[in-house]
Amino acid sequence: MNFLLLSVQLFSNGMMESEQRHVTLRINASEEAALMELLNFMYSNTLTIATAPALLDVLMAADKFQVASCMRYCSRLLRNLPMTPESALLYLDLPSSVLMADAVQPLTDAAKQFLADRYKDISKYQEEIMNLPLAGIEAILSSDDLQVASEDAVYDFALKWTRSHYQKLEERREILGTHLGQYIRFPYMTPRKLKKVLTCNDFDHEFATKAVLEALFFKTEPPHRQRLHSLEDLTSTNHRYVERAYKYRPIKVVEFELPHQQCVVYLDLKREECANLFPSGRVYSQAFHLGGQGFFLSAHCNMDQQSSFHCFGLFLGMQEKGSVTFSVDYEFAARSKPTEEFISKYKGNYTFTGGKAVGYRNLFSIPWTSFMADDSLYFINGILHLRAELTIRC
């Protein structure tokens, strides 16, 4: 039996032993059952075992003796078993020779997807996720469906996990530079957090500089170029330019210090995102800063002032922080057909205190149905382009 089993590899390799009538194969006692199952499969194309540990043993033996058909068979049976966090991590911890085999790829893909689906809400399972090994963290952070407030939260978590598991600076730089850093989508991080990346000692300086420069160049691209980058990036492994479904929508911010403290904020919303707001939903932007205070935009589907129909509203809010009070001039604008230029829709002045918000319940002065219609003036290639200008006048 050992001769027949070994000959599968030897014949394929053209080795001298393949011409011998008898070959002695020495194996550990623990390998015997798996080898017998493998031999049985070679004759019958079936296995007599069905548990995950036994199937993994046969899978390892099939890899050792290059029986790809048995590797595919084991992989399929393992995928059909109920997946658990423990089994998923076990599959991702197989030897590299097994993980790289095409026959095992569907199994490892299923394991990664299971972990990504189970732990997509990082804040909900943070304590459990913090105890996962590197392979599990990579599976989670690579997901487009990760439920996080912003990419800043992904960066913070990756840093926290790495510092918890690797005490030496050299190890942390290696893990962040060659593993977890590849899954952080720096182009969607806020400028404030990108500044911190450049001064973070846990990242190799060259890696950090390259990541931040790429992010800043991406932010300066017009929306159609950004979408092109995202589409091209779908074929890569890390999806760096693919936007996740963040709780707080990414924005572009241009800041001025003179002649007045001013910032111009750009917020783009997809048609589907707007449609999902009906009948009473709202979506928030990432925070931005002016005069040392944090602000945010929020888009709403709400009733108009007379409560007669639904409409699209846009509001400006100040984050809760201390008792600072100051006056801000603000103006809301949106790109509109046919010129596709920004057209002012609402302007005013408001004295802000922490936690307060101001805005307009019906930004476009039309019902929701007209705003969302196929011939709407405000969706350009499926995107609603909004702009808010804030100015502090001394």
Side-chain angles (χ1 to χ4, degrees):
M1 290 184 181
N2 287 342
F3 158 69
L4 291 172
L5 186 60
L6 187 58
S7 68
V8 174
Q9 181 189 34
L10 297 182
F11 277 123
S12 65
N13 290 344
M15 296 172 65
M16 183 170 57
E17 290 90 336
S18 66
E19 309 228 348
Q20 298 176 5
R21 294 183 59 82
H22 301 285
V23 178
T24 301
L25 176 65
R26 294 185 179 182
I27 60 171
N28 294 324
S30 59
E31 296 179 292
E32 182 178 353
L35 288 171
M36 294 296 289
E37 281 292 339
L38 179 56
L39 181 60
N40 177 66
F41 176 85
M42 291 167 60
Y43 281 103
S44 64
N45 283 325
T46 189
L47 296 173
T48 63
I49 45 91
T51 64
L55 286 170
L56 283 172
D57 288 341
V58 177
L59 178 64
M60 301 279 281
D63 172 66
K64 183 176 181 179
F65 294 103
Q66 301 175 16
V67 187
S69 59
C70 187
M71 293 181 72
R72 283 192 294 272
Y73 189 82
C74 291
S75 176
R76 186 170 69 251
L77 291 181
L78 287 167
R79 290 201 315 276
N80 290 336
L81 293 176
M83 191 82 74
T84 66
E86 293 73 24
S87 64
L89 292 170
L90 191 60
Y91 302 152
L92 295 179
D93 195 39
L94 291 169
S96 58
S97 63
V98 180
L99 291 174
M100 292 173 63
D102 291 340
V104 183
Q105 199 65 51
L107 176 63
T108 55
D109 287 346
K112 292 175 183 177
Q113 189 61 51
F114 173 84
L115 293 172
D117 289 342
R118 177 179 175 86
Y119 298 116
K120 61 183 177 182
D121 188 343
I122 288 183
S123 59
K124 182 178 179 181
Y125 296 101
Q126 183 150 161
E127 184 175 343
E128 189 175 342
I129 298 173
M130 283 296 295
N131 293 320
L132 294 179
L134 178 61
I137 300 301
E138 288 183 297
I140 295 168
L141 298 190
S142 66
S143 174
D144 294 343
D145 300 320
L146 201 59
Q147 294 179 355
V148 285
S150 67
E151 196 65 27
D152 290 3
V154 177
Y155 168 84
D156 289 338
F157 174 80
L159 211 54
K160 180 180 179 181
W161 183 91
T162 304
R163 287 170 175 171
S164 173
H165 288 259
Y166 298 91
Q167 304 307 312
K168 296 181 179 178
L169 177 62
E170 297 79 13
E171 292 179 339
R172 294 200 297 274
R173 286 183 172 179
E174 172 70 16
I175 291 299
L176 288 168
T178 61
H179 292 275
L180 299 188
Q182 307 300 320
Y183 301 108
I184 298 173
R185 302 182 185 183
F186 293 95
Y188 294 101
M189 289 172 59
T190 61
R192 282 200 163 204
K193 188 65 75 171
L194 287 174
K195 289 180 183 178
K196 292 185 178 181
V197 175
L198 291 174
T199 58
C200 179
N201 201 35
D202 296 278
F203 281 93
D204 174 78
H205 180 70
E206 185 177 344
F207 176 90
T209 301
K210 184 174 182 291
V212 171
L213 282 176
E214 287 179 352
L216 294 176
F217 279 128
F218 178 81
K219 288 179 180 294
T220 62
E221 294 272 27
H224 73 277
R225 291 288 303 169
Q226 291 183 348
R227 289 195 295 274
L228 183 60
H229 282 307
S230 299
L231 290 173
E232 292 172 346
D233 203 33
L234 286 172
T235 58
S236 70
T237 55
N238 55 35
H239 288 193
R240 177 165 294 182
Y241 295 108
V242 178
E243 187 178 339
R244 307 187 209 256
Y246 303 113
K247 179 180 179 182
Y248 301 120
R249 306 300 300 133
I251 52 176
K252 288 183 182 180
V253 183
V254 181
E255 299 179 0
F256 301 93
E257 288 295 329
L258 297 171
H260 307 284
Q261 289 190 71
Q262 183 183 42
C263 67
V264 183
V265 184
Y266 298 89
L267 171 64
D268 293 342
L269 298 176
K270 299 174 184 175
R271 179 184 282 272
E272 309 87 78
E273 291 177 298
C274 292
N276 290 336
L277 294 178
F278 187 85
S280 58
R282 58 185 62 185
V283 62
Y284 296 93
S285 77
Q286 293 176 346
F288 55 94
H289 294 79
L290 180 68
Q293 296 298 308
F295 290 86
F296 61 90
L297 295 174
S298 61
H300 300 210
C301 175
N302 44 216
M303 302 299 288
D304 75 324
Q305 283 84 343
Q306 288 74 40
S307 298
S308 54
F309 53 80
H310 289 89
C311 51
F312 179 87
L314 184 63
F315 295 83
L316 170 67
M318 190 172 96
Q319 294 178 318
E320 194 98 36
K321 190 177 181 181
S323 58
V324 176
T325 299
F326 56 84
S327 181
V328 174
D329 292 342
Y330 64 93
E331 180 178 5
F332 296 152
R335 289 193 189 275
S336 178
K337 298 174 184 176
T339 64
E340 299 186 356
E341 299 293 331
F342 277 104
I343 297 176
S344 177
K345 290 295 177 182
Y346 187 73
K347 62 174 61 177
N349 175 277
Y350 189 74
T351 300
F352 280 94
T353 56
K356 298 296 184 178
V358 65
Y360 197 56
R361 297 177 65 87
N362 190 357
L363 184 67
F364 301 112
S365 301
I366 56 175
W368 182 266
T369 50
S370 300
F371 164 66
M372 290 299 302
D374 291 340
D375 60 352
S376 172
L377 298 177
Y378 303 106
F379 288 99
I380 300 171
N381 296 321
I383 304 292
L384 173 66
H385 301 274
L386 301 170
R387 185 184 71 192
E389 293 187 25
L390 284 68
T391 305
I392 300 176
R393 301 191 187 277
C394 299

